[in-house]
Amino acid sequence: MWTDYKDADIHFSIADTRFHTLNLVYERFQRSIPSHSHGNGSYEIHYIAEGRGRAIINGISHEVTPGTLYVTGPHVEHAQSPFLEDPMCEYCIYLKTEKRRKSAASFPAGEKELLAAFEHTPFWFGADTQNAGSLIIEIFEELQERRTGCIFQVEALLRQLLVKLVRNYEKSGRPRAQDLSAAADKTAVIIEEYFLYQYRNLSLEELAGKLGLGARQTERLLKRQYGKTFLQKKAEARMSAAAILLSDPSRSITSVAEDLGYSSIEHFSSAFRSYYHISPRQYRKEGVYHSFPERSESG
């Protein structure tokens, strides 16, 4: 099951920052999501309502159970795989921030502190102790029913959601600092979905076409937003998918190579070894996918 709201154009402001809601997705997972990350100013809020699975975040494996809540901010690498006997059902909200110039005197009381607490926690994982999940479900119900005042209600719920997230952070006592700034636009969604879902046949020219840019402009955009070239992003996408696919013992290494678009198992094995410094066979034999090995940044 898949529900996707991409064009709602919902935005709200807290202090000097405008939040754009670029994508809202509900999915019952029958597939794995390869490791990926988002650019400057981008946040994904994940809430698992049902089912079980595993999330690998910055190389560390986390068990996902009903009621799990986690946030992945700028440049936080994350992958997901469901337990197929009890697939996880996830609500995911993708926010992108935009800094605006505004006098500090005009901020409502407490907004600056709320914003700082949210921005200083680029990654958080834990049980939802503040009923943030209920707000997320209500947001999706509003978008589905489209009653009078829907967008105003969703904007209000999103603001409340940030409060609930920050209270979860504070209760766990695990804030993490990071400075963030970015311009909000939909290019991030296009780029990230392209590398996430089209890893078999990635082309700089095709991506440039989707963005309405030239190849050189696209290269500069990738470098500015992600600090990586197209070839580095391509290798990252393919090898992250390879790591997830190899964690399924029912898949042969040959079938993994074919799914990733390699012309031969030898070509795939060479690329995998160059990236992870270990062969696909050894990677699977040693169960390395429970903690991702060190990766090469070469393209």
Side-chain angles (χ1 to χ4, degrees), residues 37-52:
S37 62
H38 304 290
N40 294 337
S42 299
Y43 296 82
E44 275 188 343
I45 302 166
H46 310 256
Y47 176 69
I48 310 304
E50 301 175 40
R52 303 170 66 86

Side-chain angles (χ1 to χ4, degrees), residues 250-266:
S250 68
R251 299 289 301 268
S252 70
I253 294 177
T254 298
S255 73
V256 171
E258 290 173 351
D259 278 0
L260 293 171
Y262 286 95
S263 58
S264 68
I265 189 173
E266 291 78 16

Side-chain angles (χ1 to χ4, degrees), residues 91 131-145 147 150 153-154 157 160:
Y91 292 88
N131 293 319
S134 298
L135 285 177
I136 292 172
I137 293 171
E138 188 175 350
I139 288 168
F140 277 76
E141 289 174 348
E142 283 285 340
L143 291 171
Q144 182 177 17
E145 295 174 8
R147 293 176 293 179
C150 165
Q153 178 70 354
V154 171
L157 290 169
Q160 291 178 51

Side-chain angles (χ1 to χ4, degrees), residues 113-114 117 121 124 130 163-175:
E113 292 77 8
L114 174 65
T121 311
W124 186 87
Q130 304 295 316
V163 173
K164 296 292 188 181
L165 290 175
V166 167
R167 289 180 179 179
N168 269 301
Y169 303 165
E170 292 173 344
K171 188 173 179 64
S172 68
R174 289 180 290 155

Side-chain angles (χ1 to χ4, degrees), residues 79-150:
Q80 291 184 161
S81 56
F83 294 164
L84 295 181
E85 66 276 11
D86 185 19
M88 57 190 180
C89 298
E90 181 194 74
Y91 292 88
C92 182
I93 298 176
Y94 185 174
L95 300 173
K96 192 163 177 65
T97 60
E98 174 189 12
K99 290 294 183 182
R100 303 179 303 154
R101 291 185 178 180
K102 190 175 180 181
S103 169
S106 63
F107 299 155
E111 285 203 4
K112 189 173 181 180
E113 292 77 8
L114 174 65
L115 179 66
F118 177 78
E119 289 185 328
H120 291 169
T121 311
F123 164 62
W124 186 87
F125 183 102
D128 175 22
T129 63
Q130 304 295 316
N131 293 319
S134 298
L135 285 177
I136 292 172
I137 293 171
E138 188 175 350
I139 288 168
F140 277 76
E141 289 174 348
E142 283 285 340
L143 291 171
Q144 182 177 17
E145 295 174 8
R146 289 284 175 177
R147 293 176 293 179
T148 303
C150 165

